[in-house]
Amino acid sequence: MTYCLGICTHEGLIMASDSRSNAGYDQVNLCRKMHTFVMPDERAFVILTSGSVSLTQSVITLLREDFNAGEGLAKVPTPYAASRVVGEAVRRVSDLDRAHLEKDDFSFNINLLLGGQVKGSRSGLYLVYPQGNPLSATQDSPYLQIGECKYGRPILDRGIVHGSTPLEVAALYGLLSFDAAMRSNVTVGPPIEMLIYRNDSLHFDGYRSFPADDPELLSIHRQWERALRKAVEDLPKIHFNACLPGH
Amino acid sequence: MTYCLGICTHEGLIMASDSRSNAGYDQVNLCRKMHTFVMPDERAFVILTSGSVSLTQSVITLLREDFNAGEGLAKVPTPYAASRVVGEAVRRVSDLDRAHLEKDDFSFNINLLLGGQVKGSRSGLYLVYPQGNPLSATQDSPYLQIGECKYGRPILDRGIVHGSTPLEVAALYGLLSFDAAMRSNVTVGPPIEMLIYRNDSLHFDGYRSFPADDPELLSIHRQWERALRKAVEDLPKIHFNACLPGH
């Protein structure tokens, strides 16, 4: 399993991914899922991947070859066009592998998050499906997830507001979302990689990798659990009625 | 979908269920999922149900008929024996309906939570599977969920400790777990029913039903969201590095 998250606020983007890959429960590997495509001061994209590692590697390889040749992500005028280029790469790999996988009952399993900006256009955040079609984040749905997303969702639903959450605070919500997913599902694992993109900077301002024993991660984790427990204990106690339910 | 939760602490049990039943997204009904079987000062059981309403109704009907005739849950000496009686009822309904359902590609979908106590034995909390076999809560795994459980799990993982969480605080964790599930999944819905069972009381001390507009529920929800946001904002900001990741 995998967990990847993109958050989009009025100030920019937070992109984060875990690094665990597993086939079954016993074949667990370290696998980085964050891939950047940058031409400083002109364009900056980051892609996060989930699904079969074989498939995501092929898609990133195709995108990288084109980018290095000045094509594809190196040429697109907008993040939407970039999402279409990524979708096209997914379809090329689908043409190569899908029928062979399905012959042995494997599904064509790949999802990607794309975030970034091109000079002269707004920043964007997209999810690209296995079929190659893109979905955009919006002001009302300002975050997108792929992989094991349920455990990490409640904290985002309570906290992220597109027009008001500062980017540094969005980064904390993102980290807490990963903390919840890792705690409840062993197949989501560190290091967590996180990238912060400030609108119109056209390069990545800040990157952070959190290994399992990262002192800052542990300290945030501890402080968060303490604050959470205190917040629960401070809530008014529920008033119960003495009578039994009538059924 | 459904969400039902049982929490077991050193002081007793919290049992809670939502009340939404849906076939698809447009046929949404109100459906209570909490069923009590009480002989005051001798035994007190509560059963929470998830799955096909047709199946859960049949199981409860069989259990109620036996109970009213002084058999089954009216006679068992322990909660474990009660879990076996519930499993037996599941298997009787399976004999009646399973083959006919599977002929039309419906699965035999039913899960139950059983909590309670019989005089002279300890209180217990069990999950009964569609196959009729029981799973017990333990000190290390002090809560059990059925239905849409992922969204509501992180808050329980952080808060519930069997040997130290007071029962009133466990009730708050339970309510917050439902609040998270309802917020992230529309097919989990109010009223939430909650029952509190204090060890050795042999009756249900307290019951509460929270409709959607319950002032106490709304007030706890608001205070919780405020506290959560404040707790995030109070965390130390993440230190990002200026350099790009090397990939």
Side-chain angles (χ1 to χ4, degrees):
Chain A
M1 208 62 186
T2 289
Y3 179 38
C4 297
L5 169 67
I7 302 172
C8 158
T9 82
H10 63 301
E11 295 182 346
L13 305 170
I14 300 292
M15 305 291 288
S17 52
D18 84 317
S19 301
R20 192 155 289 174
S21 147
N22 66 300
Y25 294 104
D26 49 359
Q27 198 184 332
V28 175
N29 291 300
L30 198 94
C31 170
R32 297 171 84 180
K33 297 158 192 173
M34 179 178 281
H35 311 270
T36 54
F37 298 80
V38 179
M39 297 166 73
D41 303 323
E42 200 209 301
R43 62 187 64 224
F45 290 116
V46 53
I47 295 176
L48 311 179
T49 60
S50 81
S52 155
V53 177
S54 158
L55 299 176
T56 60
Q57 283 178 347
S58 285
V59 166
I60 296 297
T61 300
L62 295 180
L63 289 170
R64 186 75 68 195
E65 282 177 1
D66 287 352
F67 183 79
N68 290 344
E71 299 293 320
L73 296 176
K75 260 174 75 173
V76 290
T78 61
Y80 175 72
S83 77
R84 283 296 180 183
V85 163
V86 173
E88 199 46 52
V90 170
R91 290 172 184 169
R92 281 156 71 194
V93 174
S94 170
D95 290 343
L96 289 168
D97 291 334
R98 184 173 190 137
H100 297 271
L101 291 169
E102 291 181 347
K103 228 186 277 174
D104 281 333
D105 291 328
F106 293 102
S107 68
F108 184 75
N109 172 25
I110 176 170
N111 284 279
L112 304 103
L113 292 181
L114 165 77
Q117 191 175 16
V118 183
K119 196 172 187 171
S121 78
R122 284 167 170 243
S123 67
L125 171 62
Y126 289 88
L127 192 165
V128 178
Y129 289 104
Q131 293 74 28
N133 52 319
L135 172 81
S136 174
T138 64
Q139 296 196 4
D140 294 326
S141 299
Y143 67 88
L144 295 171
Q145 305 167 293
I146 55 179
E148 176 55 82
C149 35
K150 287 195 176 188
Y151 298 119
R153 191 170 155 177
I155 184 68
L156 301 172
D157 279 340
R158 292 186 201 272
I160 301 290
V161 180
H162 177 275
S164 66
T165 306
L167 207 50
E168 288 83 2
V169 177
L172 284 168
Y173 277 108
L175 194 63
L176 294 173
S177 177
F178 273 82
D179 196 54
M182 285 197 293
R183 171 129 198 184
S184 294
N185 186 330
V186 292
T187 70
V188 176
I192 301 162
E193 296 191 285
M194 189 177 275
L195 212 49
I196 186 166
Y197 178 75
R198 224 164 272 284
N199 283 342
D200 303 324
S201 63
L202 298 169
H203 66 278
F204 290 109
D205 304 274
Y207 167 78
R208 183 64 192 273
S209 171
F210 296 94
D213 57 354
D214 185 274
E216 199 177 343
L217 177 62
L218 294 178
S219 151
I220 288 175
H221 174 90
R222 270 194 303 267
Q223 186 170 332
W224 174 242
E225 298 232 328
R226 253 198 323 268
L228 216 62
R229 288 185 183 208
K230 183 167 181 325
V232 176
E233 282 155 20
D234 287 349
L235 289 174
K237 299 293 172 284
I238 297 168
H239 291 94
F240 287 96
N241 307 315
C243 61
L244 261 183
H247 56 299
Chain B
M1 206 63 185
T2 288
Y3 179 37
C4 296
L5 168 67
I7 303 173
C8 157
T9 84
H10 62 301
E11 295 183 345
L13 305 170
I14 300 292
M15 306 291 287
S17 53
D18 84 316
S19 302
R20 193 156 290 175
S21 149
N22 67 300
Y25 294 105
D26 48 0
Q27 199 184 332
V28 175
N29 292 301
L30 198 94
C31 169
R32 298 172 84 179
K33 298 157 192 174
M34 178 178 282
H35 310 270
T36 54
F37 297 79
V38 180
M39 296 165 72
D41 302 323
E42 199 209 301
R43 61 188 64 225
F45 290 116
V46 54
I47 295 176
L48 311 179
T49 60
S50 81
S52 154
V53 178
S54 157
L55 299 176
T56 59
Q57 283 178 346
S58 286
V59 167
I60 296 297
T61 299
L62 295 179
L63 289 170
R64 186 75 66 195
E65 282 177 0
D66 287 352
F67 183 79
N68 290 343
E71 299 293 319
L73 296 176
K75 260 173 77 174
V76 291
T78 63
Y80 175 73
S83 77
R84 284 296 180 182
V85 162
V86 173
E88 198 46 52
V90 170
R91 288 171 185 168
R92 281 157 71 194
V93 175
S94 171
D95 289 344
L96 288 169
D97 291 334
R98 184 173 190 136
H100 297 272
L101 290 170
E102 291 181 345
K103 228 186 276 175
D104 281 333
D105 291 328
F106 292 103
S107 67
F108 184 74
N109 172 26
I110 176 168
N111 283 279
L112 305 103
L113 292 180
L114 165 77
Q117 191 174 16
V118 183
K119 196 171 187 171
S121 78
R122 287 168 167 240
S123 67
L125 172 63
Y126 289 88
L127 193 165
V128 178
Y129 290 104
Q131 293 75 30
N133 52 320
L135 172 81
S136 174
T138 65
Q139 295 196 5
D140 295 327
S141 298
Y143 67 88
L144 295 171
Q145 304 167 292
I146 54 178
E148 175 56 83
C149 36
K150 287 195 175 188
Y151 298 118
R153 191 170 154 177
I155 183 69
L156 301 172
D157 279 342
R158 294 188 200 269
I160 301 289
V161 180
H162 177 276
S164 66
T165 306
L167 207 50
E168 287 83 3
V169 177
L172 284 167
Y173 278 109
L175 194 62
L176 294 173
S177 178
F178 273 83
D179 195 53
M182 283 196 295
R183 170 130 198 183
S184 294
N185 187 328
V186 291
T187 69
V188 177
I192 302 163
E193 294 191 286
M194 188 176 276
L195 212 49
I196 187 166
Y197 178 76
R198 224 164 273 285
N199 282 342
D200 302 324
S201 65
L202 297 170
H203 67 278
F204 290 109
D205 304 273
Y207 167 78
R208 182 64 192 273
S209 171
F210 296 94
D213 56 354
D214 185 274
E216 199 177 344
L217 176 63
L218 294 177
S219 152
I220 288 174
H221 175 91
R222 270 195 303 267
Q223 186 171 333
W224 174 243
E225 297 231 329
R226 254 199 322 268
L228 216 63
R229 289 185 182 207
K230 183 167 182 325
V232 176
E233 282 155 21
D234 286 349
L235 289 174
K237 298 293 172 287
I238 298 168
H239 292 96
F240 287 95
N241 305 315
C243 62
L244 260 183
H247 57 296

